[in-house]
Amino acid sequence: MMTLEQRLTEIKIVPVIAINDTQQAVPLANVLVENGLPCAEVTFRTEAAEESIRLMREAYPEMLIGAGTVLTTEQVDKAIKAGADFIVSPGFNPTIVKYCQQRGVAIVPGINNPSLVEQAMEMGLKTVKFFPAEPSGGVAMLKSLSAVYPVKFMPTGGIHPGNVQDYLALKSVIACGGTWMVPSDLMDKGDWDSLATLIREL
């Protein structure tokens, strides 16, 4: 069975998605899977997140589904119950990390400086989210961190078609998170054909 790190390395791009309507969940999952990107990080920034993850999991059991913007232990419980494969948090909260470890679910917490990387390593983590990537120094900052710390990074925040290859070229980067291939306006309009085109262009 592949580890989360192995699956992310294989997929390379993690669509970060805020779903406003649960009716969007299955059509969106279908577009992602059918166009070669069987992965989604569904953020808990909307009320539809938990149910959307559940619907996507039921429709596509093999899809890699993360729960993003997880800020509380209650949200961790909801994500696990819905069927999320892993948890993503914007920052490094030791309480959330410990809780995920106790619950047996992988977590990729956000970091953007050396001290936070060391705290993550102290808790046994080997993969972290570099967030917000571009405002935090981008590729140059990641090169500096990678030269010192034996961890893998998932940069997110300011990633777009013009810079994603620069990030993926770094050996320490296993995948990049982004929103450009899943714009909310296309989802809200149900324009799945345009979404499919954006996803295929990856």
Side-chain angles (χ1 to χ4, degrees):
M1 185 175 179
M2 295 178 71
T3 64
L4 174 62
E5 183 178 310
Q6 288 171 329
R7 295 187 71 181
L8 289 172
T9 301
E10 184 177 76
I11 290 170
K12 296 291 185 191
I13 302 292
V14 178
V16 180
I17 308 162
I19 298 178
N20 297 311
D21 185 341
T22 56
Q23 292 186 0
Q24 300 170 347
V26 174
L28 174 60
N30 178 69
V31 170
L32 290 167
V33 171
E34 293 299 318
N35 290 279
L37 194 58
C39 178
E41 178 189 323
V42 180
T43 73
F44 266 74
R45 293 198 299 262
T46 72
E47 294 295 323
E50 180 183 3
E51 179 65 7
S52 294
I53 291 173
R54 187 185 69 78
L55 292 170
M56 295 169 84
R57 171 59 65 223
E58 288 180 354
Y60 294 94
E62 300 305 315
M63 189 176 179
L64 181 63
I65 304 175
T69 321
V70 172
L71 303 175
T72 67
T73 56
E74 180 184 11
Q75 288 176 332
V76 173
D77 290 336
K78 288 181 177 180
I80 293 173
K81 184 178 180 181
D85 295 300
F86 64 105
I87 304 296
V88 182
S89 59
F92 184 83
N93 183 332
T95 298
I96 300 299
V97 172
K98 288 178 184 177
Y99 191 72
C100 287
Q101 291 173 331
Q102 291 169 358
R103 291 295 317 267
V105 64
I107 179 169
V108 183
I111 62 87
N112 71 345
N113 63 60
S115 295
L116 292 175
V117 175
E118 292 192 18
Q119 290 183 51
M121 290 176 62
E122 182 70 17
M123 297 187 72
L125 299 178
K126 297 179 179 179
T127 301
V128 291
K129 174 182 179 178
F130 180 54
F131 178 83
E134 282 292 287
S136 298
V139 170
M141 181 63 162
L142 266 182
K143 285 181 178 178
S144 297
L145 293 174
S146 301
V148 181
Y149 301 113
V151 298
K152 298 297 184 181
F153 296 95
M154 185 174 76
T156 307
I159 310 293
H160 54 77
N163 63 15
V164 65
Q165 292 298 337
D166 295 332
Y167 282 95
L168 291 175
L170 301 179
K171 291 183 178 180
S172 62
V173 172
I174 59 172
C176 288
T179 60
W180 77 88
M181 79 300 294
V182 284
S184 57
D185 61 326
L186 292 182
M187 288 194 293
D188 291 340
K189 290 188 292 187
D191 190 352
W192 308 115
D193 289 339
S194 294
L195 276 169
T197 298
L198 288 173
I199 293 164
R200 282 196 301 271
E201 286 176 352
L202 287 172

